[in-house]
Amino acid sequence: MSRHLSVRWTVLSTALPRPWLRCAHCGRSRPFVPSGKARLNANGRRLDGWLIYRCATCEATWNRPVFERRAVTTIPRTLLEAMQANDPATLDGLARDASGLGRFTPHVETPEDVAIRRELLSADAACGPALTLDLDPATPLSIRVDRLLAEGLGLSRSRVAALARDRALRADPAITRPLRGPISVFLDLNAAEDAQAILDRAAGRGR
């Protein structure tokens, strides 16, 4: 039965930001990718820590600072141990943070490949069909909201645009913007013959 569903989508990037840097070996700007390795270097009682990146073309390395000249006592022990062990989850989390990469280059690729974790918040069988989607990006993303909705709901981009144009889809800010932070989207599906299929896909059923 069609109804009003409220669903949260936690949106995760499945690709890591790639800074473009001048590669000393290639002699030109190239994308650099995380190697999954870290490096620590002690200088007296202070410590430097880096993520090791590699040129996507020639494997030349670049060290991305995580902390510099920090007193050992000010660095969380869990972070130190994780970097010493090259813990994949910790290094992946550090590499996903693109906020500091602008210090080194103005050109940072933020791929649009994402995964959606769906959570049904409520279902009201007394009204609808309608859908409230809370979009919650784990980190700011470059994927546009309309593209995310099209992929997540199994619709064409033109169909999503038409729903927005007819005010059957409402969101603030506009769906043509990248998903930088949490937003809420409402879809009135009364005129949609495939309303139940859209609701099922939104909640992760029958995909």
Side-chain angles (χ1 to χ4, degrees):
M1 175 185 295
S2 295
R3 51 194 170 184
H4 184 177
L5 297 187
S6 179
V7 180
R8 177 185 293 122
W9 284 3
T10 301
V11 189
L12 308 167
S13 173
T14 58
L16 299 176
R18 306 200 314 172
W20 279 68
L21 306 160
R22 182 168 179 81
C23 176
H25 187 269
C26 295
R28 64 182 63 186
S29 182
R30 298 289 196 192
F32 278 68
V33 296
S35 68
K37 303 290 184 182
R39 179 185 171 195
L40 297 170
N41 182 64
N43 186 349
R45 295 184 178 181
R46 297 190 176 274
L47 198 63
D48 295 310
W50 302 277
L51 295 183
I52 301 174
Y53 282 63
R54 295 191 181 278
C55 172
T57 301
C58 74
E59 295 289 298
T61 61
W62 169 66
N63 293 336
R64 174 186 177 181
V66 177
F67 46 80
E68 299 175 278
R69 297 295 189 269
R70 285 272 298 276
V72 175
T73 55
T74 67
I75 304 171
R77 179 175 294 276
T78 52
L79 176 59
L80 281 180
E81 292 176 348
M83 292 183 69
Q84 287 172 333
N86 290 317
D87 175 65
T90 299
L91 300 192
D92 182 80
L94 292 171
R96 287 186 183 281
D97 181 9
S99 59
L101 287 174
R103 291 171 51 198
F104 311 103
T105 174
H107 185 184
V108 179
E109 284 185 14
T110 52
E112 295 187 351
D113 299 333
V114 298
I116 302 171
R117 187 168 66 230
R118 293 165 165 85
E119 177 187 0
L120 179 63
L121 301 179
S122 64
D124 185 354
C127 60
L131 172 66
T132 298
L133 272 178
D134 291 332
L135 307 181
D136 185 11
T139 57
L141 300 172
S142 61
I143 187 170
R144 284 175 28 155
V145 175
D146 54 354
R147 176 179 169 183
L148 176 68
L149 292 173
E151 293 182 0
L153 297 175
L155 305 175
S156 66
R157 293 276 288 275
S158 60
R159 174 85 180 279
V160 171
L163 288 169
R165 186 171 57 250
D166 295 340
R167 300 293 294 166
L169 187 158
R170 298 188 290 276
D172 185 25
I175 62 172
T176 54
R177 297 181 180 181
L179 184 63
R180 298 298 189 190
I183 71 169
S184 183
V185 178
F186 177 78
L187 285 90
D188 179 347
L189 299 172
N190 275 291
E193 294 183 358
D194 56 347
Q196 188 60 52
I198 294 173
L199 293 172
D200 287 342
R201 288 192 289 268
R205 301 190 295 256
R207 290 182 291 121

